[in-house]
């Protein structure tokens, strides 16, 4: 007879932490729920982000015609089937049931990338990674609109060390 333990709860309640503890203490096989996101949901999130290119940046906006950085993430996640609530960039960086990627080489399509402010005290910006080359789409206050950003943004010397990457 096999025993299966399923840890369930609302987003951000610590399911992954509890499941990891069960795995460590009892030796049960641990499967991260984030690993089961259908590719279709990720593709939908990216497609929705691309549809917003050129839409104006408006602080606090969450779509459908204007966005700030976290509003764009919220809108794209929501349109792809996520029920994640609206957070700011710093809030998204604290979601405990997403896998934090420690190495930039682990960057993949559909990840969310968070950037610290210039004095490294808080996360102040977030974007959606659209491919494994480090390109992303974000609602940029400096550009005044939703824009694609090249791989240099993620790998450039000015940004290296300022990012946290999350597997949404």
């Amino acid at each position: 007879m096999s025993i299966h333990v399923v840890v369930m709860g609302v987003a951000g309640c610590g399911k992954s932490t509890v499941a990891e503890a069960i795995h460590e203490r009892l030796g049960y096989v641990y499967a991260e729920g984030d690993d089961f996101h259908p590719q279709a949901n990720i593709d939908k999130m990216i497609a929705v982000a691309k549809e917003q290119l050129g839409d104006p940046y408006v602080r606090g906006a969450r779509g459908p015609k204007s966005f700030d950085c976290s509003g764009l993430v919220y809108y794209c996640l929501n349109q792809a089937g996520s029920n994640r609530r609206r957070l700011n960039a710093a809030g998204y960086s604290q979601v405990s049931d997403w896998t934090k990627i420690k190495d930039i080489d682990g960057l993949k399509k559909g990840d969310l990338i968070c950037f610290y402010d210039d004095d490294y005290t808080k996360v102040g910006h977030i974007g959606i990674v659209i491919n494994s080359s480090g390109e992303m789409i974000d609602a940029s206050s400096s550009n005044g609109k939703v824009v694609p950003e090249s791989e240099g943004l993620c790998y450039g010397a000015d940004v290296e060390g300022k990012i946290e990457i999350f597997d949404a």
Side-chain angles (χ1 to χ4, degrees):
M1 173 166 87
S2 295
I3 297 175
H4 297 275
V5 177
V6 177
V7 179
M8 297 173 64
V10 298
C13 70
K15 299 178 296 288
S16 294
T17 303
V18 170
E20 288 171 1
I22 291 171
H23 165 72
E24 289 175 16
R25 292 190 180 116
L26 302 177
Y28 289 165
V29 174
Y30 171 65
E32 173 58 56
D34 287 341
D35 295 337
F36 299 101
H37 290 302
Q39 186 63 44
N41 289 28
I42 294 168
D43 292 343
K44 174 73 173 177
M45 182 176 69
I46 303 299
V48 169
K50 288 179 178 179
E51 290 170 4
Q52 308 322 306
L53 290 172
D55 285 354
Y57 174 91
V58 175
R59 185 178 178 157
R62 59 182 183 168
K65 298 293 181 190
S66 60
F67 301 90
D68 68 5
C69 64
S70 56
L72 178 67
V73 167
Y74 166 78
Y75 183 78
C76 294
L77 285 169
N78 185 272
Q79 295 298 304
S82 173
N83 63 357
R84 180 75 54 192
R85 68 185 173 97
R86 168 70 150 94
L87 301 168
N88 62 20
Y92 281 122
S93 75
Q94 299 301 312
V95 172
S96 63
D97 62 339
W98 286 344
T99 304
K100 186 184 249 184
I101 300 169
K102 303 289 187 191
D103 186 348
I104 197 149
D105 292 333
L107 193 65
K108 65 183 182 299
K109 178 180 173 181
D111 287 349
L112 303 178
I113 185 165
C114 297
F115 296 85
Y116 281 101
D117 61 8
D118 289 336
D119 59 1
Y120 300 95
T121 58
K122 65 177 183 166
V123 170
H125 188 64
I126 189 167
I128 301 169
V129 177
I130 60 172
N131 60 37
S132 59
S133 297
E135 293 176 307
M136 70 176 211
I137 292 176
D138 67 333
S140 169
S141 60
S142 60
N143 288 305
K145 60 187 175 182
V146 176
V147 295
E149 303 280 4
S150 70
E151 64 184 75
L153 179 70
C154 296
Y155 293 105
D158 289 344
V159 176
E160 193 77 39
K162 294 183 185 180
I163 57 176
E164 291 182 348
I165 308 164
F166 296 87
D167 179 13

